[in-house]
Amino acid sequence: MDHEHCHSLLNSLSDYVEGDLSEELCAEIERHLQSCENCRVVIDTLRKTVYLYHATAADPPVMPQDVKERLYTRLDLNEFLNPSP
Amino acid sequence: MDREKRKEEDFSLPRLRAGDRAEFARLVDAYSGVIYRLGLKMLDDPQDAEDILQETFIKAYRYLKDFDGRSSLSTWLYRIATNEALMLIRKRKNVPLSFDEALDPDQEIEKPLQILDWCCMPEKELMSAEARLYMQQAVEQLSPGLRAVFVLRDIEGLSTEETSRVLNLSESAVKTRLSRARMRLRELLTAYFGERMSALGLVEPGDD
């Protein structure tokens, strides 16, 4: 990561991981990755970081029943707390 | 029915604007789960998340009559909730309002310092309860401005455009902040998983 070239690519790495770059810039990064082990590691671990957060976010949100009950009470919506399906 | 996938058109705007209680209860039912999770991810404290949840829907009910429908209802709710969360963070941490600006979330990205390939660690290590806890704590280490973008984009799955509407930022500012947040988290996760690799004997001493 000491090369000037690596640094200039840094701002594009997130977009690269997202597949959100122009073909030209993409090709430039891929050319650079062939010769730069450090950047390859950064890209791989960046991709894995995003993957791990996406994976933990996949669980549906869980709101405890008592939190829900207090919310409905605060909003004066108790009559709608357990609507029949 | 998947509540998160509920369509906007399921709600009657005229009835919501008129203060219809039953219609508002349906809105609360549909979105309270995601708003609660947003609060948890932003502050990592169940009591704070509950405060954000309650304030969000109190404000929503109060201001629905002024909702102009230019953004979607969900974007509007996210916006109220995110503002509540940011206000609470500033209050809790006693951070001055200029905190974000002082650190300039849009400045150039920092150089990666940790170069270590931990991608090949076993999945059960990467997704262990301890690792998940560390990942959540890492999010809390982001500055509030970066954290809001990261939570909306990478946890809640909003698009760049939606996130820019929620936070009233340009799309390019959202991209820059997301990029900085991800790189910062990569650093933190590399430090953590690097230690785990050493502990598991997956890396030679001095190999990093």
Side-chain angles (χ1 to χ4, degrees):
Chain A
M1 270 293 155
D2 294 329
H3 307 94
E4 207 173 301
H5 196 53
C6 302
H7 204 191
S8 73
L9 289 178
L10 274 182
N11 288 305
S12 313
L13 290 189
S14 178
D15 286 342
Y16 174 74
V17 167
E18 196 90 332
D20 202 16
L21 279 187
S22 71
E23 224 171 291
E24 201 182 335
L25 200 45
C26 229
E28 190 189 330
I29 288 183
E30 271 155 20
R31 259 196 313 277
H32 175 72
L33 290 180
Q34 283 177 1
S35 63
C36 185
E37 172 67 16
N38 280 356
C39 275
R40 260 206 310 274
V41 170
V42 170
I43 290 255
D44 286 347
T45 48
L46 180 65
R47 199 177 266 141
K48 197 77 173 183
T49 297
V50 175
Y51 162 81
L52 287 176
Y53 278 103
H54 284 177
T56 61
D59 312 331
V62 178
M63 182 171 49
Q65 185 63 24
D66 58 327
V67 172
K68 185 173 180 175
E69 283 170 11
R70 284 193 294 272
L71 173 67
Y72 277 63
T73 302
R74 183 90 195 270
L75 298 171
D76 195 18
L77 291 175
N78 273 328
E79 61 187 299
F80 303 105
L81 192 51
N82 292 306
S84 47
Chain B
M1 175 174 190
D2 185 343
R3 287 174 182 177
E4 278 186 272
K5 295 281 185 310
R6 195 183 291 224
K7 295 274 194 307
E8 294 282 326
E9 50 265 38
D10 281 355
F11 298 99
S12 158
L13 269 186
R15 286 179 62 192
L16 284 172
R17 285 205 195 97
D20 184 301
R21 309 287 300 165
E23 193 66 1
F24 184 64
R26 289 180 60 232
L27 185 75
V28 173
D29 185 50
Y31 288 109
S32 49
V34 289
I35 297 299
Y36 181 68
R37 178 171 64 186
L38 177 82
L40 272 182
K41 297 292 176 185
M42 285 294 289
L43 281 119
D44 199 23
D45 180 290
Q47 185 56 54
D48 286 341
E50 186 169 347
D51 289 348
I52 290 166
L53 175 70
Q54 295 190 359
E55 286 305 314
T56 297
F57 283 104
I58 285 169
K59 289 206 165 121
Y61 189 71
R62 192 181 300 154
Y63 296 118
L64 258 171
K65 61 181 187 318
D66 301 322
F67 177 68
D68 57 15
R70 270 188 302 173
S71 70
S72 68
L73 271 168
S74 61
T75 300
W76 185 67
L77 288 172
Y78 270 123
R79 185 173 189 152
I80 299 173
T82 309
N83 284 336
E84 287 297 322
L86 289 172
M87 273 197 299
L88 207 52
I89 289 171
R90 282 167 184 141
K91 209 159 85 182
R92 285 276 179 282
K93 309 253 194 265
N94 205 14
V95 178
L97 274 169
S98 61
F99 180 70
D100 279 349
E101 289 69 34
L103 281 178
D104 188 4
D106 301 323
Q107 75 181 27
E108 208 182 335
I109 209 154
E110 60 194 293
K111 262 166 90 168
L113 300 171
Q114 309 261 0
I115 310 286
L116 173 77
D117 193 353
W118 46 269
C119 293
C120 307
M121 284 182 81
E123 190 82 5
K124 70 172 181 10
E125 277 292 327
L126 294 173
M127 297 296 278
S128 71
E130 189 193 289
R132 281 165 178 259
L133 188 63
Y134 183 85
M135 284 169 61
Q136 171 66 28
Q137 287 165 351
V139 173
E140 305 306 313
Q141 288 186 45
L142 296 172
S143 72
L146 295 188
R147 200 187 313 167
V149 169
F150 179 78
V151 168
L152 291 169
R153 284 285 285 113
D154 276 343
I155 309 277
E156 293 303 324
L158 269 62
S159 68
T160 302
E161 195 218 342
E162 288 168 322
T163 305
S164 79
R165 283 169 184 266
V166 169
L167 295 172
N168 209 13
L169 285 171
S170 70
E171 288 191 30
S172 70
V174 169
K175 285 186 179 182
T176 309
R177 290 187 189 198
L178 179 65
S179 181
R180 291 196 60 215
R182 286 172 166 180
M183 289 295 275
R184 179 86 194 107
L185 291 170
R186 190 207 71 86
E187 290 287 321
L188 294 167
L189 262 54
T190 299
Y192 172 76
F193 287 124
E195 277 181 25
R196 293 297 305 146
M197 281 176 79
S198 299
L200 293 167
L202 292 171
V203 66
E204 296 296 321
D207 197 22
D208 56 3

